[in-house]
Amino acid sequence: MEGEATSIGPFDITRVMAAIPHRYPMLLVDRVVELIPDRSITAIKAVTINEGFFQGHFPGRPIMPGVLIVEALAQAAGILAVESLGLVGSGKLVYFMSIDGVKFRKPVEPGVLLTLEAEFLQKRSRVCKFAGKARIDGELAAECEFTAMIADPPKA
């Protein structure tokens, strides 16, 4: 079909780490299933009991903190942005500017594969707006919209 975007992926962890600067313990994307440049990304976070935050959130009832679910969505969107804008390896960083309409629908517990879906709502050279959804076995766990700015890293 005319205008049909070409999907790329999957990306292993090495390519994920080439796209965004996050590292353990803050790297929350394990692989990319599919990326359609200028459109959307589907990525995976394998949620394990070995995550440090489960020690205190909550003892006896481990649940992934909502802010980290949103962060995982933002990291997936960051990969989408740098890949779509041809910025991989440029050192550019993607910073949150706003988070809107966050809704948590289902707790995220150890042992699940959290599917991270993000799509562009608006894309400019320096500011992008995204819609994100986190799913467990197809069921909606969280959703939000967020805006991010693409900027140079801080000077050393």
Side-chain angles (χ1 to χ4, degrees):
M1 266 197 256
E2 190 175 322
E4 189 72 19
T6 303
S7 169
I8 56 176
F11 298 179
D12 65 9
I13 191 65
T14 303
R15 185 148 176 200
V16 167
M17 292 187 340
I20 58 176
H22 303 76
R23 296 297 182 263
Y24 177 83
M26 283 305 298
L27 180 60
L28 300 174
V29 175
D30 292 315
R31 67 183 155 103
V32 172
V33 176
E34 179 181 55
L35 186 147
I36 302 171
D38 302 315
R39 189 177 297 167
S40 64
I41 187 170
T42 302
I44 299 292
K45 164 63 179 151
V47 181
T48 73
I49 194 64
N50 296 326
E51 313 277 356
F53 51 79
F54 284 132
Q55 292 178 30
H57 200 270
F58 298 101
R61 178 73 165 102
I63 297 171
M64 185 175 183
V67 295
L68 294 181
I69 298 167
V70 173
E71 174 65 23
L73 286 167
Q75 288 181 22
I79 295 166
L80 173 62
V82 298
E83 288 282 346
S84 295
L85 296 169
L87 298 174
V88 174
S90 69
K92 298 278 187 185
L93 299 175
V94 181
Y95 292 111
F96 266 134
M97 291 177 67
S98 70
I99 305 167
D100 299 304
V102 180
K103 294 183 177 136
F104 299 103
R105 307 287 189 189
K106 180 178 179 155
V108 176
E109 301 172 324
V112 302
L113 291 178
L114 188 63
T115 301
L116 308 167
E117 302 167 353
E119 65 180 350
F120 281 114
L121 295 178
Q122 186 177 54
K123 179 172 63 78
R124 297 188 179 139
S125 63
R126 292 184 45 90
V127 177
C128 301
K129 186 169 184 177
F130 304 92
K133 293 183 178 179
R135 298 181 190 276
I136 302 167
D137 295 327
E139 287 187 50
L140 190 61
E143 61 186 324
C144 63
E145 290 185 1
F146 49 95
T147 304
M149 175 179 61
I150 298 163
D152 290 322
K155 302 258 187 243

